[in-house]
Amino acid sequence: MLRRIDSFLACLLATVVLASVLPCYGVGVKVFNTLAIIMIANMFFLQGARLSRRAVMEGMLGWRIHLAILSCTFVMFPLLGMALHAALPGMLDASMWTGVLFLCCLPSTVQSSIAFTSIARGNVAAAICSATLSNILGIFLTPLLVGIMFGRHTGNGSGGIMPIVLQLLVPFIAGQVAQPWIGEWAHRHKKLLSFSDRGSILVVVYTAFSEAVTQGLWHRLPPLQLGRVAVVDAGLLVIVLGLTLLAGRLGRFPRGDRIAIVFCGSKKSLASGVPIASVLFSPDDVGLIVLPLMIYHQVQLFVCATLARRMGARGDGD
């Protein structure tokens, strides 16, 4: 039975259990946040060293795939959220529905979208460009969408651009600069790149879930309400995964681009969502509003980890 369990999924489950039993506190939070930053930066450096300049240029110029991913993130998701709310208004209470609609307005993740695209052997260059662009645009589009949905005045918090640039783009550019010298070495040591991809995700999961646990994830809502939130989040993810797969096929994108659309277009960023929520909503409401996002974050990691491994093993986009 153990041989049949996806090893990466087993690691993710073990990480969640560890975070639930032994979450990081105090200085430990700073240590793991710093470790996550280092591992993510290292992942982007190795990706930059491994990718050829031609692949990067093709990724930057692929406007069709960027348009498809951004449309999934900022158009399809909000429409689906409003449709679910209209169809099932009594499924969740008001604060939980606010949280679900808020997560639908958020940008895509960066590190996990790119890591899963890499694991599935998709178009990593396009994923890097689209996911990074999504986060930069999300600084402005997310408050705008929240304002449209809830009719509230919002700010933009433009200071969030610098962490994206310093943590993601700078290491990737450094890897590209070093590519003539270490590019062949990076290709020969693919296991190191795989360890970097998956290790960064495990550290992010532990850090994020520890924060959720220390904030009282298991005590703030009755189990029934938490279960309903999980069902809505899982249903939303399944619908989005199906639509992104369909969009890739209808758009006649090549296999690598279809994989990037699936993994970039179906993600929502916890790292961006929590600080944005703290700006847009009152402090008393933030904890409950981000709870659906925290649950969705875990669900998307588990589901997409399995999907990415299977896509990578099969060698096709089905």
Side-chain angles (χ1 to χ4, degrees):
M1 180 178 178
L2 290 175
R3 292 192 189 99
R4 296 178 182 178
I5 298 176
D6 186 289
S7 59
F8 187 41
L9 180 57
C11 289
L12 282 171
L13 289 171
T15 301
V16 170
V17 172
L18 178 63
S20 299
V21 177
L22 295 172
C24 53
Y25 292 96
V27 178
V29 174
K30 295 182 179 180
V31 171
F32 276 97
N33 281 331
T34 302
L35 180 62
I37 291 172
I38 293 172
M39 293 190 70
I40 291 167
N42 180 65
M43 181 187 78
F44 275 81
F45 175 79
L46 292 175
Q47 291 286 4
R50 184 168 178 260
L51 289 172
S52 67
R53 302 283 172 81
R54 179 179 178 181
V56 173
M57 290 303 298
E58 288 177 352
M60 293 177 62
L61 298 176
W63 64 268
R64 289 182 68 241
I65 185 173
H66 301 324
L67 181 61
I69 291 172
L70 292 174
S71 297
C72 291
T73 302
F74 295 114
V75 179
M76 182 181 71
F77 253 109
L79 292 176
L80 282 175
M82 290 189 292
L84 285 174
H85 184 215
L88 303 168
M91 183 74 172
L92 305 174
D93 61 29
S95 60
M96 291 298 96
W97 271 122
T98 299
V100 171
L101 293 174
F102 171 67
L103 81 85
C104 289
C105 299
L106 289 171
S108 175
T109 61
V110 179
Q111 61 268 22
S112 60
S113 295
I114 296 166
F116 288 143
T117 300
S118 176
I119 292 168
R121 294 192 288 173
N123 189 339
V124 175
I128 289 172
C129 296
S130 287
T132 304
L133 180 60
S134 173
N135 269 255
I136 293 174
L137 292 178
I139 295 169
F140 307 99
L141 292 181
T142 295
L144 177 63
L145 290 171
V146 171
I148 293 172
M149 282 189 173
F150 304 111
R152 66 172 65 238
H153 178 70
T154 59
N156 57 39
S158 58
I161 292 178
M162 284 310 297
I164 295 173
V165 172
L166 293 176
Q167 188 178 343
L168 309 179
L169 292 183
V170 171
F172 180 77
I173 292 172
Q176 278 284 288
V177 172
Q179 200 235 9
W181 296 279
I182 66 174
E184 292 185 6
W185 175 87
H187 275 283
R188 289 196 305 268
H189 296 81
K190 292 182 179 180
K191 288 186 177 180
L192 177 62
L193 188 62
S194 176
F195 176 80
S196 176
D197 290 344
R198 296 169 189 176
S200 65
I201 292 175
L202 293 177
V203 172
V204 170
V205 168
Y206 177 75
T207 306
F209 208 85
S210 291
E211 183 178 355
V213 170
T214 55
Q215 290 180 0
L217 175 64
W218 307 123
H219 304 288
R220 302 193 66 169
L221 285 176
L224 180 59
Q225 189 69 199
L226 282 172
R228 288 180 175 180
V229 172
V231 169
V232 171
D233 282 351
L236 181 62
L237 177 62
V238 169
I239 294 171
V240 170
L241 286 172
L243 291 177
T244 51
L245 282 167
L246 181 62
R249 291 186 178 278
L250 292 178
R252 296 185 178 181
F253 289 95
R255 174 189 176 275
D257 289 0
R258 294 203 307 270
I259 289 174
I261 291 172
V262 168
F263 290 115
C264 294
S266 63
K267 299 290 183 304
K268 288 297 177 179
S269 174
L270 180 66
S272 298
V274 173
I276 290 176
S278 67
V279 173
L280 301 183
F281 300 97
S282 68
D284 294 337
D285 297 331
V286 169
L288 289 177
I289 288 174
V290 300
L291 187 56
L293 172 61
M294 291 181 178
I295 295 174
Y296 185 88
H297 185 76
Q298 308 307 322
V299 173
Q300 72 182 6
L301 288 174
F302 289 139
V303 173
C304 292
T306 304
L307 188 61
R309 283 291 300 272
R310 292 189 177 184
M311 281 184 171
R314 285 171 60 91
D316 58 39
D318 295 328

